[in-house]
Amino acid sequence: MKTHRVNELIELLHPEWQKEPDLNLVEFLLKLAEEAKYEGKLEALTDDVLIYHLKMRNSDKEEMIPGIAKDCEDDFKTAILRARGIIK
């Protein structure tokens, strides 16, 4: 894991973990994994799952994931033309 990923994860994790100070770190990570509907072993949980879940944890259920929202087009024709490089 790169240093910037560690910093990003800690910045996102810290305020959320403070809301539940009775949980130790592993318990809190298990809770996050359950919330994210992760079904694998805890040791296989990736930083991406944690980062995206923490970013979206307190958002509206209908809100789009930030990384996807920037590339979203309202209509199909514009999306195709942009993908083919015809429009910018």
Side-chain angles (χ1 to χ4, degrees), residues 7-83:
N7 293 337
E8 182 179 12
L9 185 55
I10 290 171
E11 287 173 15
L12 292 167
L13 187 65
H14 187 257
E16 294 299 315
W17 191 15
Q18 283 184 322
K19 294 176 186 175
E20 303 188 42
D22 55 318
L23 299 178
N24 67 43
L25 180 59
V26 174
E27 290 171 331
F28 188 63
L29 291 175
L30 283 169
K31 181 176 181 169
L32 292 174
E34 284 178 17
E35 288 176 6
K37 307 290 188 235
Y38 179 77
E39 296 178 355
K41 293 184 177 185
L42 187 60
E43 60 266 16
L45 182 64
T46 65
D47 55 319
D48 289 329
V49 171
L50 290 171
I51 288 170
Y52 276 106
H53 180 65
L54 287 165
K55 283 183 177 182
M56 298 301 292
R57 189 173 194 219
N58 298 316
S59 64
D60 182 26
K61 299 291 181 202
E62 300 299 318
E63 189 174 330
M64 194 174 295
I65 296 171
I68 295 174
K70 68 179 178 64
D71 296 326
C72 186
E73 292 293 340
D74 290 331
D75 69 294
F76 185 72
K77 183 178 178 181
T78 303
I80 293 293
L81 293 173
R82 193 174 309 278

